[in-house]
Amino acid sequence: MAQVVAPRVLIGLADAADQPLATDSWIGAFISLGARLRRYRAGLNSRQLIVAVSVPRRDYVAALIGTGWMLSAPPPRLEAPLEVFRRANRDTYLRAVTDRMIITGAFGELDEKRADARVRTGGKTLPVDRFKAVVELKDECENVSGDLLAPGFLAALTGAESTWLERMAAPSTDLALVGTAKWLYEDLQALVGNGADENGVGTPLGNYVLPYAARAATWSTPVIPSARLGEGQSVPEPCGLAVLDRFGAIKYLNDFRTPIVVCVIDRSIADESAAELLIEARLSNTRPMSVADDLHWKPARGVEALAFTVAL
Amino acid sequence: MSRIHDVIRRYEACRSVLSGGVTIFAVGDPQGAQLNAALRNAIFTLGEERSAVWDELLQVAKALRWRRMTQPQPNEYQPAFAQLGDEVLRQTSRLRNFVNNEEILDGIAAATSAVIEVDSPVGALLLESIHDVGAESCVVVASRNAARAGIASWLDDFGVQTVVPADLAAISAGVELAYVVAPPTFVPASVITAPATREVTFIVPAWFGNRALPASSLGPHAEGAIALSSKVHEIGDVEEPTNYVPDDARVEDTYFPQPVWGNRTSGEREPGSDEIEARKLLLGGGLALWLDDGERIRSLHPRQPAGDRVGYDPVTSVVPGTYLVLREGETERGAMYDEALRTLGAHASSIEVTQRRWKTALIHRLDAVGTSRAVKELSEGGVRSAGQVRAWTDSRLICPQRDADFAGLLEWLQEPVEPTYRNAITLRRALYKASAELRKELEDAVGTVDLGALERDGVLHLDLRRAGFRGMIVARVLACAPFTEIVSHQQVRVPFADGSSQWLE
């Protein structure tokens, strides 16, 4: 398992590549929360963990927690690419990763007669030995290829970099973000990096969270608009963590059966409904928890946290 | 400044206010104090059993007092203040014909004349404070839109921004101090728990004694809870007028203008089969609504980005300030229900049969055992939303929101689960689809209107192309009755004209 982000590292965020990374203690703290939650999940048994964090402003928080959660996922164990290609047929859809590209789509053919075996997949033909990580997809999809996403500072820091290509091929699919989709997608475009490095260049949070997006060659995390929950949509299985961003999403808390739910309460909104709903939820048949003692997470100053578990 | 800097600034402001606390300037306002004392004396002397003949005078006088507190601009900038005062005086002379509490009427009339005559010293101190720090370095926060407009009509000339709490997110980076023109208890906790500036100072008349700070709702239960301190500075002539109300007396006085709700008229009976318990809401635009504790209701969040403004809220979270999306003449639920049935074609009639069957069984069972026993038995059977059992008799509320609750309900009714269960779920899915389509149309319509006007006026009409949905309105909830009444199913969730909100903001 990848290590948890050490608190002494100063993490910075920027909204665009031409801006320096801005730092503050809460940025790293929320990434760390995502990783702590991943660790805690194994011990939950059949209970649901609900964590509420109340913050001065909602921005970036869900994306940062999601980043910590994804980076701390165990690396996928994949078969050798050649084995996957040999087993594939015309109905197989693959995601295949080289040192430079992610190629996703329908398998074409494998030509092992040549000295340098070649494979056609996702509409592209390349020598087999270029592929470092290949995985069969459950559902069919269009051919789409793109540049390999950069692992960036955080993947290096957490050790996820050493299994980066496998992670790009078969990312963990156990996270969902729910809220105002436009804002969540904007948050995922923010660049994260080493705040102590003056010339540091950030990496999009989306490189870790991998949101569903049109023409993306790899994806893992649905970003669900709150209103869709009221129209019958639910979080896809097997989701381990759902982050509910603001009251629009939190009001559906009781409908979630996800093992872990994080509720992001935006205190800048002049509406206490979200906090009241959580206080009420906590009163019904729950066991209190301490984020400090049980999760070993220390909220940044100005961040309030409340955690409890409830039988699923 | 990019967004990340704005966000970091907000965390920094929060830490700064956590360390330094908030400041309260309690400013002497002898005329306001006189009005406050006269009102409290009246409420105390007349007692809780007072005649309704007093209601209008007290309501208008309270509106005047509220305005004195939250709109301290010089009186020449607020002709409406003098008009309110004149209304108070008119009411006092009118009452002299009906009551013999001359002293009370004299007290209120004299204090009213005084506040109309003399500007509030709170305003003068506010202006002085703005000059001290510089108009560019501070922002003035008004309690609500009406007060903001009033204060801004005065302060705009001095180059200082006046905003409502919800606008604080947009203030510029150089602003270091917020002057809040309302007691802490009358602004959302966000003003101090998520401050936009490094310092927050409340400027209030000294006669308003409650200086407690609002806590964030999560706070008392949370780790890292935000605990804020305050320093009070008394300024000017803060001497209280002679007070005839004993200090330890309980006075049922509310400072925030409230409608007169009266008392529940439905008595203790249980609702009949075509009736339901519902709470009265007063809405912007002179409208009102009966809201039952049933299915969630369509709402609008004007500050969300386009495409994400229309949603639903559970009935429990409908509070003053919520914007409801309503259909004139009939409920949206009814129209959506008809549309869902239409889309199901031939299957619709068999679904209607099973729906009618279990609802009839429920009505009979409720008639036999009564609502409270039904709620108890269902809760014991694990039906979490048992409290809504009466609402489920409504033919257009398809079934309980939670599937397990519906299964539990059918079991309690000893009704066969299939095909009833599957039919209801099919119908609900069709309803979801119809309502998702309506949401898209509403989003499009909302995208083309002036939402600023909605925040200002509290009501807005939307024109949709969809047949049967031409007349949709969005209205802000102004007040919620503290008790329910029994009304017929046909009455609930249909807006109607109502004059009770006259003296509300």
Side-chain angles (χ1 to χ4, degrees), chain B residues 202-271:
Chain B
F202 290 87
I203 303 191
V204 301
W207 51 261
F208 185 78
N210 178 1
R211 285 147 200 179
L213 302 180
S216 86
S217 303
L218 205 57
H221 311 267
E223 291 170 68
I226 288 180
L228 292 163
S229 60
S230 61
K231 281 191 286 287
V232 179
H233 300 275
E234 294 196 327
I235 297 166
D237 176 5
V238 296
E239 198 169 325
E240 279 290 303
T242 318
N243 194 344
Y244 301 103
V245 183
D247 284 345
D248 56 351
R250 273 175 52 85
V251 181
E252 292 297 321
D253 186 12
T254 49
Y255 283 80
F256 182 63
Q258 301 279 339
V260 177
W261 293 110
N263 294 303
R264 179 178 158 107
T265 57
S266 305
E268 292 305 307
R269 70 184 177 92
E270 288 215 350

Side-chain angles (χ1 to χ4, degrees), chain A residues 15 24 26 59-60 180-181 183 187 230-231 246 251 257 267-268 272 279 282 290-292 304-306, chain B residues 2-4 8 10-11 15 190 193 216-217 219 221-223 226 296 304-305 308 312-313 384 432 436 439:
Chain A
D15 291 307
D24 204 301
W26 53 271
D59 303 63
Y60 311 106
T180 300
W183 291 344
D187 292 343
E231 290 156 4
R246 300 223 300 189
K251 65 190 171 198
R257 291 289 162 268
R267 283 203 308 271
S268 74
E272 297 284 322
I279 298 298
R282 199 190 65 141
S290 159
V291 293
E304 299 176 315
L306 173 72
Chain B
S2 76
R3 181 162 64 109
I4 181 63
I8 288 176
R10 199 94 182 207
Y11 280 84
R15 294 192 290 254
S190 64
T193 63
S216 86
S217 303
H221 311 267
E223 291 170 68
I226 288 180
R296 63 226 165 103
Q304 289 279 106
D308 236 331
Y312 288 102
D313 271 311
R384 288 196 203 164
Y432 280 150
R439 174 167 63 84

